[in-house]
Amino acid sequence: DQWGLPIFQNIAASEQTHTEAVLTLLQRYGLPDPAQGAAAGEFADAELQALYDQLVAQGVESLAAALRVGAAIEEIDILDLQERLAQTDQADIQQVYNNLAAGSRNHLRSFVSTLQAQTGETYQPQYLDQATYDAIVAAAPEQGNGGGRRGR
């Protein structure tokens, strides 16, 4: 809301779709929703809460900082999804994780290109290795299976 760029609203709407996909899996497998009853920005996991607080503090500093934070979050998401994907053989979970990863790669490309367009700054990956980052940024936007929305 602070920076008023459509990228933030568009990606927030996409993230809501992603949250709903994960909630469907939680319900299907009878697992508790760790976000149930929590306000936006509240996390039961102390490490996640600390990361959220740190990134929000960085993101309010400037538009460039907010775009870098957005890109960093997508990098973290990509790595988390790769790790979780390797831990399951359930086809429905794999499909959701693959769709979420495609969305995160799209979002990363969007944040990086917006940072360049708005500030002239070239984003440097903070969590992904350079080769993986370069391959993602060079790739075309992806469409997830199952009619998921793209990040732009």
Side-chain angles (χ1 to χ4, degrees):
D1 290 340
Q2 179 175 350
W3 302 111
L5 282 181
I7 186 174
F8 295 112
Q9 288 80 25
N10 293 346
I11 290 178
S14 179
E15 294 298 341
Q16 182 59 43
T17 302
H18 297 171
T19 299
E20 291 165 6
V22 171
L23 181 58
T24 298
L25 288 175
L26 292 173
Q27 292 168 342
R28 181 177 300 151
Y29 288 94
L31 298 171
D33 178 0
Q36 185 173 18
E42 284 184 10
F43 301 93
D45 181 288
E47 189 176 318
L48 187 56
Q49 186 67 56
L51 178 61
Y52 175 85
D53 293 342
Q54 171 194 342
L55 293 174
V56 168
Q58 289 173 7
V60 298
E61 293 175 4
S62 67
L63 173 60
L67 293 166
R68 285 191 302 270
V69 164
I73 290 168
E74 299 304 340
E75 287 186 71
I76 293 167
D77 286 351
I78 290 165
L79 291 169
D80 286 347
L81 287 162
Q82 287 173 344
E83 180 181 338
R84 297 292 183 247
L85 190 57
Q87 295 172 346
T88 185
D89 59 0
Q90 296 293 324
D92 57 343
I93 297 173
Q94 289 173 338
Q95 181 179 359
V96 169
Y97 286 175
N98 282 321
N99 287 344
L100 295 177
S104 288
R105 290 187 297 268
N106 286 337
H107 297 170
L108 177 59
R109 285 187 281 273
S110 293
F111 280 121
V112 166
S113 65
T114 302
L115 178 65
Q116 178 71 40
Q118 291 287 321
T119 70
E121 181 180 330
T122 300
Y123 181 76
Q124 297 300 315
Q126 300 172 61
Y127 297 92
L128 293 170
D129 65 72
Q130 191 69 47
T132 301
Y133 168 80
D134 290 343
I136 290 169
V137 173
E142 300 168 66
Q143 182 71 41
N145 295 331
R149 294 178 53 182
R150 292 196 319 195
R152 287 201 130 161

